[in-house]
């Protein structure tokens, strides 16, 4: 595979960018990128204009510091809205978009102690998006039920294992109910909590990982129609692959060294157009990304190093930025105050398979 040299956009205000999201925020059918600054009240929107370039940016100032965020259409008006959690205020904040670079006043609801990450899905089959939040200081997972208009009610919480950090969702046991999988950094494990479609998660299984499992993602790696899991092991310099047997039980982890130091974010896409999912990992303390090309049997090739200008990439999203039907790489360099884009120039063209990095 081949990639172009990455190009970077420096943040207008010198502060740490930690999370980013991709969408069409000004309703012009061209991809834009939003960057949230760690523990600041700023989101910077980079406005796309042609072939994956960005001509200008504008700011939205929030009412509280941002610690995790994404954008998604919550009220089904066709515009992507802002959702974020604020650690200092222990709250979830929703800001609805008008699709013209303006937004509604924020809606805020309380959470547990020190919310760390969240995932958005329909957990109770009412066709409205809900939010599942993990709270790291009191080891709690919380459900907030959506009303379809951008407002939420705090409904249920339950205890997790020690140190919940990052969460993904999916139907892992094929019962048509949404489940969650959570990394637990102090337990050196991940736990899958199985939903019943009524906001309860009465059953769970835990699986050992290596030292400090950090981020988690999900996809069908071996084409058996069951969702598998991949985890970055931050202090083991590796990833763990766990294959699903179709009933929500996962086989013992398979370890792949990343060849880089401190693997951090992980995203999944078909990067080379062979209809098999591949994995890309950021290495926080190395100046390259690790690309694991997938094989049809679910195994992965030794990691390919994708050189980068910087290290310390904290957020990673794979998407077709320049509309050439190839999946490109976007990442935030945490310590270099920049948004970085690496263009895929692989001969084979592909299409988006699984946009799972939230």
């Amino acid at each position: 595979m081949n990639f172009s040299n990455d190009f970077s956009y420096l943040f207008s205000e010198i502060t740490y960018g930690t999370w980013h999201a991709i969408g069409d925020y000004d309703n012009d059918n061209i991809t834009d990128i939003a960057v949230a600054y760690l523990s600041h009240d700023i989101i910077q929107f980079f406005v796309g204009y042609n072939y994956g370039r960005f001509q200008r940016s504008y700011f939205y100032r929030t009412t509280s510091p941002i610690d995790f965020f994404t954008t998604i259409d919550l009220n089904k008006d066709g515009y992507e809205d802002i959702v974020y959690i604020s650690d200092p205020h222990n709250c979830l904040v929703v800001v609805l978009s008008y699709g013209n670079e303006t937004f509604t006043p924020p809606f805020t609801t309380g959470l547990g102690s020190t919310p760390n990450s969240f995932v958005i899905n329909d957990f109770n089959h009412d066709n409205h998006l809900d939010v599942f939040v993990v709270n790291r200081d009191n080891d709690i997972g919380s459900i907030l039920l959506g009303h379809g208009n951008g407002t939420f009610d705090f409904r249920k919480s339950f205890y997790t294992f020690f140190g919940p950090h990052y969460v993904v969702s999916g139907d892992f046991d094929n019962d048509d109910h949404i489940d969650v999988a959570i990394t637990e950094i102090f337990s050196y494990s991940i736990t899958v909590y199985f939903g019943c479609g009524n906001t309860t998660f009465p059953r769970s299984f835990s699986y050992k990982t290596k030292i400090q499992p950090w981020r988690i993602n999900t996809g069908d790696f071996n084409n058996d129609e069951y969702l598998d899991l991949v985890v970055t092991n931050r202090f083991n310099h590796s990833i763990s692959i766990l294959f699903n047997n179709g009933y929500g039980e996962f086989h013992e982890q398979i370890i792949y060294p990343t060849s880089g130091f401190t693997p951090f974010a992980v995203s999944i896409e078909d990067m080379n157009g062979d209809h098999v999912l591949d994995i890309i990992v950021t290495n926080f303390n190395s100046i390259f990304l690790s690309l694991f090309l997938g094989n049809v049997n679910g195994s992965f090739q030794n990691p390919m190093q994708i050189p980068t200008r910087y290290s310390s990439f904290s957020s990673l999203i794979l998407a077709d930025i320049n509309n050439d039907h190839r999946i490109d790489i976007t990442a935030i360099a945490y310590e270099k105050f920049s948004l970085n884009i690496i263009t895929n120039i692989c001969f084979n063209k592909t299409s988006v398979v699984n946009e799972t990095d939230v």
Side-chain angles (χ1 to χ4, degrees):
M1 289 201 63
N2 295 302
F3 295 88
S4 72
N5 293 328
D6 61 321
F7 56 94
S8 303
Y9 295 88
L10 296 179
F11 302 146
S12 296
E13 301 194 15
I14 301 302
T15 185
Y16 295 113
T18 308
W19 302 103
H20 74 302
I22 292 178
D24 177 13
Y25 302 117
D26 54 0
N27 202 32
D28 63 355
N29 297 315
I30 299 175
T31 298
D32 310 308
I33 297 180
V35 177
Y37 296 160
L38 175 65
S39 298
H40 285 68
D41 57 351
I42 303 168
I43 298 174
Q44 185 172 0
F45 290 87
F46 292 85
V47 180
Y49 73 99
N50 197 12
Y51 301 113
R53 298 297 189 264
F54 300 87
Q55 60 180 342
R56 65 182 178 88
S57 68
Y58 64 94
F59 292 94
Y60 174 78
R61 292 194 175 270
T62 63
T63 56
S64 54
I66 302 167
D67 290 278
F68 186 92
F69 112 116
T70 192
T71 59
I72 192 170
D73 183 7
L74 291 173
N75 57 350
K76 301 178 183 178
D77 64 354
Y79 307 135
E80 296 215 20
D81 309 307
I82 298 169
V83 187
Y84 70 91
I85 50 178
S86 180
D87 183 334
H89 296 173
N90 293 327
C91 65
L92 177 88
V93 182
V94 173
V95 183
L96 300 181
S97 171
Y98 291 122
N100 59 0
E101 302 184 10
T102 63
F103 302 87
T104 65
F107 167 81
T108 302
T109 186
L111 294 172
S113 177
T114 320
N116 202 65
S117 66
F118 62 79
V119 66
I120 298 174
N121 215 320
D122 179 9
F123 290 97
N124 61 344
H125 300 291
D126 65 353
N127 294 316
H128 301 320
L129 291 174
D130 313 306
V131 181
F132 185 100
V133 183
V134 293
N135 303 280
R136 68 174 181 267
D137 281 0
N138 54 5
D139 303 331
I140 281 178
S142 303
I143 282 278
L144 292 89
L145 292 184
H147 300 295
N149 60 358
T151 63
F152 294 84
D153 285 335
F154 182 83
R155 287 297 175 93
K156 292 182 180 295
S157 294
F158 63 88
Y159 283 103
T160 67
F161 288 95
F162 190 34
H165 180 70
Y166 201 82
V167 58
V168 293
S169 64
D171 182 8
F172 297 117
D173 55 356
N174 294 293
D175 64 352
D176 296 322
H177 303 316
I178 298 300
D179 316 306
V180 294
I182 301 173
T183 59
E184 291 145 346
I185 57 176
F186 301 128
S187 304
Y188 301 167
S189 64
I190 63 168
T191 300
V192 181
Y193 298 87
F194 296 97
C196 290
N198 59 0
T199 71
T200 63
F201 296 81
R203 186 170 61 96
S204 65
F205 286 112
S206 293
Y207 302 90
K208 280 298 179 183
T209 63
K210 293 298 182 180
I211 300 174
Q212 204 171 75
W214 200 247
R215 301 274 178 87
I216 187 171
N217 218 321
T218 183
D220 179 10
F221 299 131
N222 54 354
N223 293 309
D224 62 358
E225 300 184 355
Y226 306 140
L227 288 176
D228 309 307
L229 296 171
V230 57
V231 182
T232 54
N233 299 304
R234 190 180 178 205
F235 292 146
N236 186 252
H237 313 308
S238 67
I239 60 172
S240 296
I241 306 291
L242 294 93
F243 287 103
N244 189 346
N245 69 0
Y247 300 98
E249 297 177 0
F250 291 82
H251 299 288
E252 184 176 350
Q253 64 180 328
I254 299 173
I255 306 298
Y256 289 89
T258 58
S259 74
F261 295 107
T262 322
F264 210 81
V266 56
S267 288
I268 303 166
E269 282 289 358
D270 176 10
M271 298 299 295
N272 57 352
D274 64 354
H275 306 291
V276 178
L277 290 180
D278 310 304
I279 296 172
I280 292 186
V281 176
T282 66
N283 301 293
F284 200 80
N285 292 316
S286 299
I287 54 172
F288 61 85
L289 309 178
S290 297
L291 166 60
F292 296 85
L293 292 176
N295 301 314
V296 293
N297 63 357
S299 65
F300 290 87
Q301 300 173 30
N302 291 331
M304 166 186 170
Q305 294 184 3
I306 304 174
T308 57
R309 187 174 305 177
Y310 305 122
S311 61
S312 72
F313 287 113
S314 59
S315 181
L316 172 70
I317 298 179
L318 309 177
D320 180 8
I321 296 297
N322 55 1
N323 297 315
D324 66 351
H325 305 290
R326 300 180 179 96
I327 301 300
D328 307 305
I329 302 169
T330 68
I332 301 298
Y334 172 79
E335 294 178 347
K336 296 299 181 180
F337 317 113
S338 64
L339 163 66
N340 300 264
I341 298 174
I342 302 172
T343 306
N344 185 351
I345 54 175
C346 175
F347 177 78
N348 292 325
K349 294 189 176 183
T350 186
S351 59
V352 173
V353 176
N354 185 21
E355 183 71 32
T356 56
D357 187 32
V358 176

